[in-house]
Amino acid sequence: GAVVSQHPSWVICKSGTSVKIECRSLDFQATTMFWYRQFPKQSLMLMATSNEGSKATYEQGVEKDKFLINHASLTLSTLTVTSAHPEDSSFYICSASGTSGSGVRSYNEQFFGPGTRLTVL
Amino acid sequence: RKEVEQDPGPFNVPEGATVAFNCTYSNSASQSFFWYRQDCRKEPKLLMSVYSSGNEDGRFTAQLNRASQYISLLIRDSKLSDSATYLCVLEGDQGGKLIFGQGTELSVKP
């Protein structure tokens, strides 16, 4: 299967600061990346869908000005949590789907990154 | 009503037991269904896709009942390593979006 990495794996920050999370597809071209958030004992909730080179599509209730998503290349998407507050503390997970580097194999399956645990003090 | 509903459990079973999870979904137009496994503080991993004809992978069997809009997962001869949260997932009708259930927690005891 394809490999997706996330960085950092965990981060602790002060209230009011911004945090950037990177999601990389290591061995395939991620034409689409998805960003999820998971609170303890709850399901993964899709925050936004981003297609390479275009603006992200946000789910209802997700503030696009607070959660900035950039998908500038076929292997990298970033999520920036701006002016983070304690209620933003959560497990943020990205996933990616796309094609192999040669464009031969299509990955309709979503491959998940290992997640980033954000704690805002 | 939630799009995907699961009994959160926990299900506490002894090693070797057979355990079954059910999941119901509300959107009759859903086409693709999956079971994912999520270990504590880790990302979800695809366990198996669910087909109308049912499918089996070793000790795991998944079934789909479109008429009643439910999906099941059966685990036979459970192992300690099966302890995890099992997520019922369906693909939404827009661009490959996945919709996750809350998950059912399984704890297999020696």
Side-chain angles (χ1 to χ4, degrees):
Chain A
V3 180
V4 176
S5 70
Q6 266 185 257
H7 178 80
S9 54
W10 59 270
V11 58
I12 301 173
C13 68
K14 292 182 179 180
S15 186
T17 60
S18 293
V19 176
K20 180 186 280 190
I21 302 170
E22 292 186 349
C23 178
R24 292 182 186 274
S25 57
L26 300 185
D27 53 359
F28 70 107
Q29 296 172 341
T31 49
T32 305
M33 284 187 169
F34 303 85
W35 285 96
Y36 297 84
R37 179 169 54 181
Q38 185 178 33
F39 292 106
K41 298 292 186 181
Q42 295 188 25
S43 63
L44 274 76
M45 296 299 295
L46 179 66
M47 299 175 66
T49 303
S50 80
N51 292 297
E52 186 264 339
S54 60
K55 289 184 178 180
T57 302
Y58 289 81
E59 294 300 300
Q60 194 172 14
V62 178
E63 300 174 57
K64 62 180 181 180
D65 294 330
K66 180 169 179 64
F67 299 98
L68 302 178
I69 292 172
N70 184 284
H71 190 170
S73 79
L74 284 171
T75 58
L76 174 65
S77 176
T78 61
L79 167 68
T80 301
V81 184
T82 62
S83 187
H85 291 284
E87 57 266 29
D88 297 323
S89 298
S90 188
F91 190 45
Y92 291 85
I93 309 174
C94 72
S95 71
S97 64
T99 59
S100 64
S102 62
V104 172
R105 183 174 178 180
S106 175
Y107 296 101
N108 291 319
E109 177 183 346
Q110 288 185 32
F111 295 94
F112 286 83
T116 297
R117 193 160 299 279
L118 170 63
T119 301
V120 184
L121 303 177
Chain B
R1 183 185 172 187
K2 290 181 182 177
E3 289 191 78
V4 183
E5 296 211 51
Q6 292 182 254
D7 180 347
F11 283 57
N12 296 304
V13 303
E15 232 179 329
T18 295
V19 61
F21 307 135
N22 288 327
C23 161
T24 57
Y25 60 95
S26 59
N27 186 352
S28 60
S30 300
Q31 294 295 317
S32 300
F33 307 89
F34 312 92
W35 282 102
Y36 276 73
R37 169 193 170 129
Q38 186 176 26
D39 292 286
C40 188
R41 294 176 174 264
K42 297 287 181 69
E43 76 276 22
K45 295 189 176 178
L46 179 65
L47 181 64
M48 58 199 308
S49 301
V50 188
Y51 306 118
S52 296
S53 55
N55 49 310
E56 187 174 316
D57 183 2
R59 297 182 293 109
F60 299 84
T61 301
Q63 297 275 357
L64 167 63
N65 185 317
R66 287 189 184 275
S68 302
Q69 292 180 211
Y70 82 77
I71 305 150
S72 65
L73 177 67
L74 182 77
I75 304 176
R76 290 181 297 277
D77 187 24
S78 52
K79 312 290 184 189
L80 298 177
S81 57
D82 293 334
S83 297
T85 296
Y86 291 83
L87 304 169
C88 175
V89 183
L90 56 86
E91 189 169 356
D93 52 9
Q94 299 174 24
K97 288 168 49 174
L98 295 181
I99 301 168
F100 285 79
Q102 180 184 5
T104 298
E105 186 182 343
L106 172 65
S107 179
V108 182
K109 307 290 187 184

